[in-house]
Amino acid sequence: MLTKRLIEFISALLVFLFIYTSISKLLDYSLFNRQLSQSPFITQYANIISWVLPLGELAIAGLLLANKTRLFGLYCAFFLLSLFTFYLTAMLRYSPYIPCSCGGVLQHLSWQAHIIFNSAFVILTTIGVLLQVKKSQ
Amino acid sequence: MKKTLSITFIAALLAVGTALASHKRVTTWVLWEGSTRTGIAADIKNIYCNGANNQVCAVNLDNGYEIVYRP
C-alpha cells in the first residue's frame, strides 16, 4: 500500500513539473526559442528542440497518468531529467554564456540551484522506477 | 486505478492552472542598482539581466521573494 502511495506521489510530482514547465515554455514560445538559439551547444537545433521538448514533456506527463504506461513514462522522465542535468552541468563548466531556457518560475533559479533541483527529481524518478518494477513483479 | 488516476490528474490540473495564472503577470521589479522597472519576469530577464544566473539582478517588489539573476 505504501509502495503504491509513493509511486502515485512521485508520478503526481513529475506530472506537475512536466505540465507546468511545458505550458510555460509554449506560452512564452518566442522567448524560449530565442534563448535556445543563443545557447552555444544547441543553436542549430533550436527550432526543433523548442517544439520537441515541451511536447515531449506533455507526452511523458500523459504516460505517467495511466497505470499501464507509468513505468515507460518513468523511464522517459528519468532519461529527460538526466539529459537536462547533463546539459546544465556542461553549460556551467564549458559555456562562457548561459541563457536560461527554463519554464515558468524555474527560470529564476541559479544554475547551481537548478542542478540540485534536477538531481533531486532524478533521484525521485529512480525511486519511482524501482518501486514500479518491484510492484510489477 | 481510479484513485491513482485522480491524484495524478489533480496534479495535471494544478500545473495547468499555475502555468496559466503565472503567465505574463506584469509586476514591479527593483534592479540591483536601485532603479525600478515594470514588466513580466521574462522581459526583465531578457532586457536587464540577460546571461548567466550568478547574482541577484532584480527582485519582485510585490512579493519580495521572486528573483531574477544576472551574470
Side-chain angles (χ1 to χ4, degrees):
Chain A
M1 191 63 185
L2 182 68
T3 305
K4 194 183 162 204
R5 285 265 166 86
L6 262 173
I7 295 168
E8 288 170 10
F9 180 69
I10 291 167
S11 299
L13 278 178
L14 287 168
V15 164
F16 185 90
L17 177 73
F18 284 132
I19 291 185
Y20 173 73
T21 53
S22 61
I23 289 179
S24 297
K25 282 167 191 154
L26 290 171
L27 287 173
D28 273 325
Y29 176 76
S30 58
L31 177 72
F32 177 56
N33 183 270
R34 196 162 61 239
Q35 286 173 331
L36 279 184
S37 60
Q38 288 168 351
S39 172
F41 297 151
I42 51 177
T43 304
Q44 59 193 109
Y45 309 109
N47 286 333
I48 300 168
I49 294 173
S50 59
W51 279 113
V52 169
L53 186 61
L55 293 178
E57 286 175 334
L58 282 176
I60 293 171
L63 290 170
L64 290 167
L65 282 175
N67 234 345
K68 278 185 179 176
T69 53
R70 180 158 296 144
L71 184 60
F72 183 59
L74 284 167
Y75 279 128
C76 290
F78 178 80
F79 173 74
L80 189 65
L81 286 167
S82 301
L83 192 69
F84 192 52
T85 309
F86 175 75
Y87 165 75
L88 286 172
T89 311
M91 286 287 281
L92 206 59
R93 285 188 67 129
Y94 303 112
S95 173
Y97 171 72
I98 309 172
C100 188
S101 307
C102 329
V105 294
L106 297 182
Q107 66 186 302
H108 306 306
L109 287 178
S110 72
W111 279 62
Q112 285 83 358
H114 217 321
I115 289 172
I116 294 167
F117 180 87
N118 267 49
S119 302
F121 265 91
V122 169
I123 292 167
L124 267 179
T125 311
T126 308
I127 295 168
V129 168
L130 293 173
L131 290 175
Q132 184 71 31
V133 168
K134 189 182 162 191
K135 189 182 156 220
S136 307
Q137 285 170 348
Chain B
M1 170 67 188
K2 196 178 177 184
K3 193 178 175 186
T4 303
L5 187 65
S6 69
I7 291 169
T8 47
F9 190 70
I10 289 167
L13 286 179
L14 276 173
V16 173
T18 311
L20 290 173
S22 60
H23 175 61
K24 292 199 186 283
R25 198 177 49 215
V26 175
T27 47
T28 305
W29 301 83
V30 183
L31 298 188
W32 79 100
E33 88 285 30
S35 65
T36 56
R37 295 283 187 279
T38 305
I40 62 168
D43 286 342
I44 297 295
K45 171 72 187 170
N46 213 32
I47 298 166
Y48 306 106
C49 313
N50 210 350
N53 297 323
N54 291 330
Q55 50 186 311
V56 172
C57 175
V59 177
N60 188 334
L61 202 59
D62 297 339
N63 58 33
Y65 64 79
E66 203 175 349
I67 296 167
V68 178
Y69 290 87
R70 68 187 173 96

